Amino acid sequence: MTNNPFIFETPLIEGVIQKRRNRFIMEVEVEGGVYDCHCPTTGRIGNIMLHNIPCLLSKSNDTKRKTLYTVEAISLDLPSENNKSWIGINQNAANRYVEHFIKTGQLSDIVKNGHTIKREQKLGNSKLDFLVDNTYIEVKTPLTQLQVEIKDHIDTRKVTEFNSFERFIKHIGELTESLKENERAILVTCFIYNNPGYMGSKKGKHRNDIKESVQSSIKQGVEIWQVNFNISPTEVNLIRYFETTDDVAML
Protein backbone atom coordinates (compact mmCIF):
# COMPACT_ATOMS: atom_id res chain seq x y z
CA MET A 1 0.00 0.00 0.00
CA THR A 2 1.34 3.43 -0.95
CA ASN A 3 2.22 5.57 2.05
CA ASN A 4 1.10 9.11 1.30
CA PRO A 5 0.24 10.70 4.66
CA PHE A 6 -1.86 13.75 5.36
CA ILE A 7 0.76 16.34 6.35
CA PHE A 8 -0.11 19.23 8.67
CA GLU A 9 0.97 22.60 7.28
CA THR A 10 2.24 23.46 10.75
CA PRO A 11 3.13 20.73 13.27
CA LEU A 12 0.68 20.28 16.15
CA ILE A 13 1.69 21.57 19.58
CA GLU A 14 1.62 19.43 22.70
CA GLY A 15 -0.24 20.66 25.79
CA VAL A 16 -1.97 19.29 28.88
CA ILE A 17 -5.74 19.59 29.41
CA GLN A 18 -6.54 21.01 32.85
CA LYS A 19 -10.30 20.59 32.51
CA ARG A 20 -13.18 20.65 30.06
CA ARG A 21 -15.18 23.68 31.09
CA ASN A 22 -18.13 23.00 28.83
CA ARG A 23 -18.97 21.25 25.56
CA PHE A 24 -16.99 23.74 23.50
CA ILE A 25 -14.04 24.81 25.66
CA MET A 26 -11.10 22.97 27.21
CA GLU A 27 -8.62 24.76 29.45
CA VAL A 28 -5.15 23.68 28.31
CA GLU A 29 -1.68 24.39 29.64
CA VAL A 30 0.52 25.10 26.64
CA GLU A 31 3.75 27.00 26.09
CA GLY A 32 3.88 28.30 29.66
CA GLY A 33 0.30 29.53 29.92
CA VAL A 34 -3.26 28.23 30.30
CA TYR A 35 -5.55 28.94 27.36
CA ASP A 36 -9.18 28.41 26.47
CA CYS A 37 -9.04 25.98 23.53
CA HIS A 38 -11.77 24.93 21.13
CA CYS A 39 -13.11 21.41 21.66
CA PRO A 40 -14.14 20.15 18.20
CA THR A 41 -16.57 17.51 19.47
CA THR A 42 -19.53 18.61 21.58
CA GLY A 43 -20.28 15.09 22.83
CA ARG A 44 -18.49 13.12 25.47
CA ILE A 45 -15.13 11.44 24.89
CA GLY A 46 -15.43 7.99 26.40
CA ASN A 47 -15.96 8.03 30.17
CA ILE A 48 -12.66 9.68 31.03
CA MET A 49 -12.21 12.74 33.22
CA LEU A 50 -10.40 15.33 31.14
CA HIS A 51 -7.92 16.42 33.78
CA ASN A 52 -4.12 16.28 33.41
CA ILE A 53 -4.61 14.69 29.97
CA PRO A 54 -1.96 15.31 27.26
CA CYS A 55 -3.27 16.76 24.02
CA LEU A 56 -2.21 17.96 20.59
CA LEU A 57 -3.27 21.41 19.45
CA SER A 58 -3.51 23.19 16.14
CA LYS A 59 -2.97 26.95 16.20
CA SER A 60 -5.24 29.26 14.25
CA ASN A 61 -3.90 32.00 12.00
CA ASP A 62 -7.08 34.01 12.64
CA THR A 63 -6.11 36.58 15.24
CA LYS A 64 -9.79 37.55 15.71
CA ARG A 65 -10.80 34.04 16.79
CA LYS A 66 -11.85 33.75 20.44
CA THR A 67 -9.92 30.50 20.87
CA LEU A 68 -6.42 30.49 19.42
CA TYR A 69 -6.03 26.71 19.63
CA THR A 70 -8.13 23.65 18.70
CA VAL A 71 -7.67 20.33 20.51
CA GLU A 72 -6.96 17.78 17.77
CA ALA A 73 -6.06 14.71 19.85
CA ILE A 74 -5.70 13.43 23.40
CA SER A 75 -3.50 10.77 24.99
CA LEU A 76 -4.15 8.41 27.90
CA ASP A 77 -0.40 8.22 28.59
CA LEU A 78 1.22 10.24 31.35
CA PRO A 79 2.22 13.81 30.40
CA SER A 80 5.84 12.87 31.18
CA GLU A 81 5.97 10.00 28.68
CA ASN A 82 7.97 10.71 25.53
CA ASN A 83 6.33 8.38 22.99
CA LYS A 84 2.62 8.91 23.50
CA SER A 85 -0.22 7.18 21.68
CA TRP A 86 -2.78 9.69 20.41
CA ILE A 87 -6.56 9.54 19.92
CA GLY A 88 -7.85 12.06 17.39
CA ILE A 89 -11.03 13.85 18.53
CA ASN A 90 -11.64 16.33 15.71
CA GLN A 91 -14.63 14.83 13.91
CA ASN A 92 -14.62 17.55 11.25
CA ALA A 93 -10.96 16.91 10.50
CA ALA A 94 -11.76 13.20 10.04
CA ASN A 95 -13.53 14.11 6.80
CA ARG A 96 -10.44 15.93 5.56
CA TYR A 97 -8.33 12.89 6.29
CA VAL A 98 -10.76 10.53 4.54
CA GLU A 99 -10.90 12.86 1.54
CA HIS A 100 -7.09 12.89 1.27
CA PHE A 101 -6.80 9.11 1.37
CA ILE A 102 -9.61 8.65 -1.16
CA LYS A 103 -8.04 11.19 -3.54
CA THR A 104 -4.63 9.54 -3.28
CA GLY A 105 -6.07 6.09 -4.00
CA GLN A 106 -5.21 4.62 -0.61
CA LEU A 107 -8.81 3.55 0.07
CA SER A 108 -9.30 1.98 -3.35
CA ASP A 109 -10.98 -1.14 -1.96
CA ILE A 110 -13.73 1.12 -0.65
CA VAL A 111 -14.07 3.35 -3.69
CA LYS A 112 -12.03 4.09 -6.81
CA ASN A 113 -11.87 7.21 -9.00
CA GLY A 114 -11.05 9.39 -6.02
CA HIS A 115 -10.29 12.37 -8.26
CA THR A 116 -14.06 12.74 -8.83
CA ILE A 117 -14.79 13.26 -5.13
CA LYS A 118 -17.28 16.00 -4.17
CA ARG A 119 -17.91 17.24 -0.61
CA GLU A 120 -21.17 17.97 1.19
CA GLN A 121 -23.60 16.62 -1.38
CA LYS A 122 -27.33 17.13 -0.84
CA LEU A 123 -29.44 13.98 -0.81
CA GLY A 124 -33.08 14.12 0.21
CA ASN A 125 -33.27 16.27 3.32
CA SER A 126 -29.65 15.65 4.26
CA LYS A 127 -26.16 16.58 3.20
CA LEU A 128 -23.92 13.54 2.99
CA ASP A 129 -20.17 13.86 3.27
CA PHE A 130 -18.99 12.67 -0.14
CA LEU A 131 -20.10 11.69 -3.61
CA VAL A 132 -17.56 9.71 -5.65
CA ASP A 133 -18.90 9.10 -9.16
CA ASN A 134 -22.35 7.75 -8.23
CA THR A 135 -21.47 6.43 -4.76
CA TYR A 136 -22.55 8.36 -1.67
CA ILE A 137 -20.32 8.09 1.40
CA GLU A 138 -21.14 9.18 4.95
CA VAL A 139 -18.38 9.31 7.58
CA LYS A 140 -19.00 8.83 11.31
CA THR A 141 -16.32 9.21 13.98
CA PRO A 142 -17.60 7.61 17.21
CA LEU A 143 -16.06 8.95 20.42
CA THR A 144 -18.59 8.16 23.14
CA GLN A 145 -16.98 4.74 23.59
CA LEU A 146 -13.18 4.55 23.42
CA GLN A 147 -11.93 1.06 22.62
CA VAL A 148 -8.51 1.51 24.16
CA GLU A 149 -6.77 0.51 27.38
CA ILE A 150 -7.75 2.82 30.24
CA LYS A 151 -4.62 3.06 32.35
CA ASP A 152 -4.63 3.15 36.15
CA HIS A 153 -3.78 6.85 36.41
CA ILE A 154 -6.82 7.87 34.34
CA ASP A 155 -9.88 8.97 36.31
CA THR A 156 -13.22 7.83 34.89
CA ARG A 157 -16.82 8.56 35.70
CA LYS A 158 -20.13 6.83 35.31
CA VAL A 159 -21.87 8.25 32.27
CA THR A 160 -25.48 8.35 31.24
CA GLU A 161 -26.64 6.47 28.17
CA PHE A 162 -25.95 8.25 24.90
CA ASN A 163 -29.31 8.77 23.22
CA SER A 164 -28.82 11.25 20.36
CA PHE A 165 -29.12 8.90 17.39
CA GLU A 166 -31.64 10.77 15.23
CA ARG A 167 -29.02 12.23 12.89
CA PHE A 168 -27.32 8.85 12.43
CA ILE A 169 -30.61 7.09 11.63
CA LYS A 170 -31.56 9.91 9.24
CA HIS A 171 -28.24 9.66 7.35
CA ILE A 172 -28.24 5.89 7.02
CA GLY A 173 -31.83 6.16 5.78
CA GLU A 174 -30.75 8.66 3.12
CA LEU A 175 -27.90 6.34 2.10
CA THR A 176 -30.44 3.56 1.65
CA GLU A 177 -32.68 5.79 -0.46
CA SER A 178 -29.72 6.67 -2.70
CA LEU A 179 -29.56 3.03 -3.83
CA LYS A 180 -32.74 3.56 -5.84
CA GLU A 181 -30.64 5.48 -8.36
CA ASN A 182 -27.06 4.49 -7.47
CA GLU A 183 -25.27 1.18 -7.35
CA ARG A 184 -23.48 1.70 -4.04
CA ALA A 185 -23.84 3.57 -0.72
CA ILE A 186 -21.22 3.41 2.02
CA LEU A 187 -21.11 4.24 5.71
CA VAL A 188 -17.52 4.68 6.96
CA THR A 189 -16.80 4.47 10.68
CA CYS A 190 -13.56 6.40 11.09
CA PHE A 191 -11.19 6.19 14.04
CA ILE A 192 -8.16 8.40 14.53
CA TYR A 193 -6.52 5.64 16.54
CA ASN A 194 -6.11 1.90 16.04
CA ASN A 195 -9.59 0.67 16.92
CA PRO A 196 -9.73 -3.16 16.94
CA GLY A 197 -13.17 -3.34 15.35
CA TYR A 198 -16.08 -1.09 16.28
CA MET A 199 -19.17 -2.85 17.59
CA GLY A 200 -21.00 -0.06 19.40
CA SER A 201 -22.98 -0.43 22.61
CA LYS A 202 -24.60 -3.77 23.33
CA LYS A 203 -27.16 -2.26 25.68
CA GLY A 204 -29.40 0.75 26.00
CA LYS A 205 -33.03 1.52 25.33
CA HIS A 206 -32.30 2.77 21.79
CA ARG A 207 -30.20 -0.23 20.75
CA ASN A 208 -33.03 -2.14 19.06
CA ASP A 209 -34.13 0.90 17.02
CA ILE A 210 -30.57 1.47 15.80
CA LYS A 211 -30.03 -2.23 15.12
CA GLU A 212 -33.21 -2.49 13.06
CA SER A 213 -32.37 0.64 11.07
CA VAL A 214 -28.81 -0.51 10.30
CA GLN A 215 -29.76 -4.08 9.47
CA SER A 216 -32.57 -2.89 7.18
CA SER A 217 -30.13 -0.63 5.34
CA ILE A 218 -27.59 -3.44 4.98
CA LYS A 219 -30.25 -5.76 3.55
CA GLN A 220 -30.98 -3.11 0.93
CA GLY A 221 -27.32 -2.82 -0.03
CA VAL A 222 -25.61 -0.24 2.22
CA GLU A 223 -21.97 -1.19 2.91
CA ILE A 224 -20.20 -0.58 6.23
CA TRP A 225 -16.43 -0.03 6.30
CA GLN A 226 -13.99 0.88 9.06
CA VAL A 227 -10.94 3.10 8.62
CA ASN A 228 -8.21 3.49 11.28
CA PHE A 229 -5.77 6.41 11.19
CA ASN A 230 -2.76 7.28 13.31
CA ILE A 231 -2.22 10.92 14.27
CA SER A 232 1.10 12.45 15.29
CA PRO A 233 2.27 16.07 15.67
CA THR A 234 3.33 16.17 12.01
CA GLU A 235 0.93 13.95 10.06
CA VAL A 236 -1.92 11.46 9.82
CA ASN A 237 -1.22 8.00 8.46
CA LEU A 238 -3.54 5.24 7.35
CA ILE A 239 -3.13 2.19 9.59
CA ARG A 240 -5.67 -0.14 7.96
CA TYR A 241 -9.20 -0.34 6.64
CA PHE A 242 -11.62 -3.21 6.25
CA GLU A 243 -15.25 -4.00 5.49
CA THR A 244 -17.48 -4.71 8.49
CA THR A 245 -20.85 -5.09 6.74
CA ASP A 246 -21.27 -8.78 7.59
CA ASP A 247 -20.14 -8.29 11.20
CA VAL A 248 -22.56 -5.41 11.77
CA ALA A 249 -25.41 -7.34 10.13
CA MET A 250 -24.94 -10.12 12.69
CA LEU A 251 -25.16 -7.85 15.76
Side-chain angles (χ1 to χ4, degrees), residues 20 35 69 90 93 102 151-152 159 172 174 182 195 211 227 233-234 245 250-251:
R20 183 176 185 175
Y35 295 84
Y69 299 100
N90 191 333
I102 288 177
K151 299 183 179 181
D152 291 341
V159 295
I172 200 166
E174 297 287 11
N182 298 279
N195 183 291
K211 179 179 176 180
V227 177
T234 57
T245 307
M250 295 297 290
L251 290 179

Side-chain angles (χ1 to χ4, degrees), residues 1-244:
M1 182 173 60
T2 302
N3 181 26
N4 185 348
F6 178 99
I7 306 291
F8 295 115
E9 290 185 12
T10 304
L12 303 181
I13 304 163
E14 188 167 333
V16 179
I17 299 169
Q18 302 302 298
K19 69 176 182 179
R20 183 176 185 175
R21 194 163 72 233
N22 55 44
R23 291 192 304 160
F24 307 100
I25 298 294
M26 291 180 177
E27 296 179 16
V28 180
E29 182 181 348
V30 57
E31 298 184 333
V34 176
Y35 295 84
D36 286 351
C37 300
H38 173 60
C39 178
T41 175
T42 57
R44 72 171 188 253
I45 303 168
N47 63 341
I48 63 173
M49 299 281 285
L50 289 162
H51 169 67
N52 204 32
I53 298 291
C55 66
L56 293 176
L57 305 167
S58 58
K59 190 174 183 179
S60 174
N61 294 322
D62 184 358
T63 56
K64 296 180 180 179
R65 215 178 87 157
K66 291 182 179 179
T67 50
L68 184 62
Y69 299 100
T70 295
V71 181
E72 300 289 345
I74 64 169
S75 176
L76 303 188
D77 295 322
L78 289 165
S80 59
E81 291 188 39
N82 291 324
N83 297 312
K84 299 179 181 69
S85 297
W86 298 103
I87 300 167
I89 66 166
N90 191 333
Q91 293 166 310
N92 291 324
N95 281 16
R96 295 197 293 273
Y97 307 153
V98 169
E99 181 179 22
H100 168 81
F101 286 97
I102 288 177
K103 281 184 173 180
T104 54
Q106 296 176 82
L107 299 176
S108 59
D109 287 346
I110 297 179
V111 66
K112 293 181 170 58
N113 300 324
H115 59 279
T116 69
I117 193 168
K118 298 177 181 178
R119 290 282 301 269
E120 295 287 321
Q121 295 300 295
K122 186 170 175 59
L123 178 64
N125 294 318
S126 301
K127 277 189 177 180
L128 297 183
D129 292 320
F130 300 111
L131 178 64
V132 182
D133 284 348
N134 63 352
T135 299
Y136 282 96
I137 301 174
E138 178 68 12
V139 177
K140 298 297 181 187
T141 309
L143 286 169
T144 57
Q145 178 186 355
L146 295 179
Q147 292 173 252
V148 295
E149 177 188 1
I150 305 297
K151 299 183 179 181
D152 291 341
H153 68 274
I154 298 293
D155 292 325
T156 61
R157 63 178 138 198
K158 186 176 180 180
V159 295
T160 57
E161 179 194 344
F162 181 73
N163 58 15
S164 182
F165 294 105
E166 294 85 357
R167 192 164 181 263
F168 170 80
I169 291 175
K170 177 184 177 184
H171 282 165
I172 200 166
E174 297 287 11
L175 280 173
T176 307
E177 283 293 308
S178 78
L179 289 168
K180 292 179 178 178
E181 296 182 2
N182 298 279
E183 290 184 6
R184 300 177 69 212
I186 301 170
L187 177 69
V188 173
T189 51
C190 173
F191 298 91
I192 314 172
Y193 67 94
N194 197 13
N195 183 291
Y198 180 66
M199 290 300 177
S201 175
K202 296 185 181 299
K203 57 185 179 180
K205 63 182 179 180
H206 297 280
R207 172 173 161 74
N208 286 337
D209 292 340
I210 300 163
K211 179 179 176 180
E212 289 174 9
S213 177
V214 171
Q215 289 182 341
S216 173
S217 294
I218 288 173
K219 286 178 182 177
Q220 295 177 72
V222 172
E223 301 170 35
I224 315 290
W225 288 76
Q226 178 169 325
V227 177
N228 289 354
F229 295 127
N230 178 68
I231 187 169
S232 74
T234 57
E235 63 192 38
V236 174
N237 282 278
L238 174 65
I239 301 173
R240 61 189 178 124
Y241 68 101
F242 48 95
E243 187 171 3
T244 59

